[in-house]
Amino acid sequence: MFNETAKLSNGIEIPKLGLGTWLLDDEQTAQAVRDAVAIGYHHIDTAQAYMNEIGVGEGIRSCGVAREELFITTKVAAEAKNYDTVTQSINGSLEKMGLDYIDLLIIHSPQPWKEFREENRYFEENKEVWKAMEDAYKKGKVKAIGLSNFLQDDIENILASCEIKPMVNQILAHVSNTPFELIEFCQKNDILVEAYSPIAHGAVLDNIEVKAIADKYGVSVAQLCLRYDIQLGLVVIPKTANPDHMRNNSELDFVISDIDMETLKNLEHIQNYGEHSFFPVFGGKLK
């Protein structure tokens, strides 16, 4: 089991490999948490928008590992853009999961999903959201705070007025779609980058070039993709409810050569995420 950790700017350690739970319902999530923890995972990622925080809480209570040994992340809904709504949502997340604290709380998106990457940047609103998160941090309700899907100017907006700097930016980053400039900006500002959909939501599994490199190391395409992100200094949170996939994803004890890393960095940019292309994070638009 790959069990390396990274250190956040406030000194807290975060496992570099976590379990994503997007698109899983409460029942699936509870079982996925139990299965993942049994394999050795200690990092679980959810969000208010996933509607499965109750399942995460159930999984935590029934997994047989002490709460303090687990690292739990959730995300403030993208549509929550004022202090009171965010504060209430944080309390709601704690209640749904049955937790006294959240290890990492992040803003799911700088804009509501229906306006993702559109003209209104919500700069002032995000400052208010951040203030609510800083206050939750000071009260001990959350141990670390961060961002998700924030571009450089979105981050600079927070940095310009914050009391506590963002510790994380969780973004789409995988073989064939790696935002190197944004990653470099975050790392220069001591903001850890987390990669969601590190296996391109499955869209990279049939890539012939990637498969050839994976074969060279005797690993799966999924393992190669996870290792690629980790060697870029990123934390990865692949989503699966399949224990066999969890186990495979956790076996990352190999090193990709510099030459192969360069090849992977320069692959043609992925154009199509298949049936999931309608999601805003994959370039689609919600109606």
Side-chain angles (χ1 to χ4, degrees), residues 17-32:
L17 173 66
L19 178 77
T21 62
W22 183 34
L23 302 179
L24 301 181
D25 63 26
D26 277 321
E27 190 176 342
Q28 291 172 312
T29 299
Q31 188 59 47

Side-chain angles (χ1 to χ4, degrees), residues 5-64:
T5 60
K7 195 167 277 192
L8 301 179
S9 58
N10 66 346
I12 284 183
E13 291 196 358
I14 177 173
K16 290 183 183 179
L17 173 66
L19 178 77
T21 62
W22 183 34
L23 302 179
L24 301 181
D25 63 26
D26 277 321
E27 190 176 342
Q28 291 172 312
T29 299
Q31 188 59 47
V33 170
R34 286 190 288 267
D35 289 338
V37 171
I39 289 164
Y41 286 75
H42 281 192
H43 176 183
I44 309 296
D45 180 278
T46 183
Q48 293 169 2
Y50 298 172
M51 308 291 285
N52 61 15
E53 289 177 317
I54 290 172
V56 169
E58 174 58 31
I60 292 167
R61 284 187 294 279
S62 57
C63 73

